């Protein structure tokens, strides 16, 4: 109950109920599975294409993260992403995703001559001065031009530390990187014009 109360917004009161022990054991097992996937290189990037309808050309890909289990199956992202955000593992996962995706996009260009743009999701937890520097370093290391990269942020990332977040996003944009709002498929935004 204490663990649940600490994870809840605004320190909500949580009473113990039977079954919480099993929930905690399952959470700890999932946390260990994610940690081992990061350390063992089982964080896998898949790509969702953006197709220009006029000529059916793939013009951009969005990097999507998956975790490969030891048995070869994949852990659903809705199971591990919230945990990764809560524990801070999302920061290391983000580095892996960005560097892999940038290298892959450049490898496609070298192999085929096709110049794809790249979109990556950034967790609110990742938005920091370190992210600004890492993006610059990752672009330089891979050779991907900043104007070909879009950083997608959720609207929720603007609700906390708004002044700092806006400043950091402006620093990312000043590198030539595009910023896009992503509602994570909810189809809803509370932002007004």
């Amino acid at each position: 109950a204490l663990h649940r109360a600490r994870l809840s917004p605004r320190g909500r009161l949580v009473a113990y109920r039977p079954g919480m022990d099993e929930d905690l054991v399952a959470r700890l097992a999932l946390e260990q599975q994610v940690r081992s996937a990061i350390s063992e290189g089982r964080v896998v990037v898949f790509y969702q294409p953006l197709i220009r309808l006029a000529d059916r050309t793939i013009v951009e890909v969005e990097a999507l993260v998956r975790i490969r289990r030891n048995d070869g199956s994949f852990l659903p992202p809705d199971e591990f992403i919230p945990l990764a955000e809560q524990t801070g593992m999302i920061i290391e996962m983000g580095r892996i995703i960005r560097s892999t995706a940038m290298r892959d996009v450049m490898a496609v260009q070298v192999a085929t001559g096709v110049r794809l743009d790249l979109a990556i999701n950034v967790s609110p937890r990742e938005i920091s001065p370190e992210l600004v520097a890492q993006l610059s370093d990752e672009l330089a290391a891979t050779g991907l031009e900043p104007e070909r990269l879009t950083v997608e942020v959720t609207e929720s990332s603007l609700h906390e530390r708004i002044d700092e977040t806006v400043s950091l996003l402006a620093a990312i944009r000043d590198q030539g990187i595009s910023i896009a709002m992503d509602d994570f498929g909810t189809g809803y935004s509370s932002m007004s014009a």
Side-chain angles (χ1 to χ4, degrees), residues 105-141:
V105 164
M106 293 306 292
V108 167
Q109 179 177 324
V110 168
T112 66
V114 175
R115 291 172 44 95
L116 295 174
D117 290 345
L118 173 64
I120 55 170
N121 291 296
V122 174
S123 162
R125 224 145 151 199
E126 292 178 89
I127 300 174
S128 66
E130 292 79 22
L131 176 65
V132 177
Q134 288 168 3
L135 284 167
S136 178
D137 293 345
E138 291 159 353
L139 288 167

Side-chain angles (χ1 to χ4, degrees), residues 149-176:
L149 179 63
T150 299
V151 170
E152 296 185 357
V153 296
T154 59
E155 183 181 335
S156 65
S157 64
L158 298 176
H159 293 304
E160 293 183 23
R161 312 171 314 160
I162 189 162
D163 293 334
E164 179 186 7
T165 300
V166 168
S167 173
L168 291 167
L169 292 175
I172 291 170
R173 189 192 62 224
D174 290 346
Q175 294 182 42

Side-chain angles (χ1 to χ4, degrees), residues 69-80:
R69 293 182 176 114
N70 287 327
D71 67 4
S73 65
F74 289 98
L75 191 61
D78 61 335
E79 287 184 25
F80 70 84

Side-chain angles (χ1 to χ4, degrees), residues 4-192:
R4 285 271 173 92
R6 286 182 177 160
L7 291 177
S8 69
R10 296 181 217 110
R12 189 180 77 195
L13 180 64
V14 177
Y16 175 80
R17 64 169 173 69
M20 280 187 164
D21 293 341
E22 291 84 13
D23 292 348
L24 181 57
V25 169
R27 177 186 157 76
L28 291 173
L30 178 61
E31 185 174 337
Q32 180 54 42
Q33 192 172 17
V34 173
R35 284 189 195 286
S36 66
I38 291 170
S39 66
E40 296 169 7
R42 290 185 286 110
V43 174
V44 181
V45 180
F46 284 80
Y47 299 96
Q48 178 175 309
L50 177 69
I51 300 170
R52 186 174 48 226
L53 292 179
D55 58 4
R56 296 185 177 156
T57 300
I58 297 174
V59 294
E60 180 179 86
V61 292
E62 179 177 358
L64 305 173
V65 64
R66 299 294 183 264
I67 289 182
R68 187 183 317 273
R69 293 182 176 114
N70 287 327
D71 67 4
S73 65
F74 289 98
L75 191 61
D78 61 335
E79 287 184 25
F80 70 84
I81 289 177
L83 175 82
E85 288 179 338
Q86 291 169 358
T87 61
M89 289 187 283
I90 196 72
I91 294 170
E92 180 59 26
M93 287 177 67
R95 283 190 210 113
I96 294 167
I97 296 161
R98 288 190 306 274
S99 63
T100 300
M102 288 182 198
R103 280 193 320 267
D104 288 352
V105 164
M106 293 306 292
V108 167
Q109 179 177 324
V110 168
T112 66
V114 175
R115 291 172 44 95
L116 295 174
D117 290 345
L118 173 64
I120 55 170
N121 291 296
V122 174
S123 162
R125 224 145 151 199
E126 292 178 89
I127 300 174
S128 66
E130 292 79 22
L131 176 65
V132 177
Q134 288 168 3
L135 284 167
S136 178
D137 293 345
E138 291 159 353
L139 288 167
T142 61
L144 182 69
E145 299 93 338
E147 61 273 6
R148 291 173 53 198
L149 179 63
T150 299
V151 170
E152 296 185 357
V153 296
T154 59
E155 183 181 335
S156 65
S157 64
L158 298 176
H159 293 304
E160 293 183 23
R161 312 171 314 160
I162 189 162
D163 293 334
E164 179 186 7
T165 300
V166 168
S167 173
L168 291 167
L169 292 175
I172 291 170
R173 189 192 62 224
D174 290 346
Q175 294 182 42
I177 300 168
S178 297
I179 306 292
M181 296 301 292
D182 184 353
D183 63 4
F184 276 179
T186 63
Y188 170 78
S189 175
S190 66
M191 297 197 59
S192 58

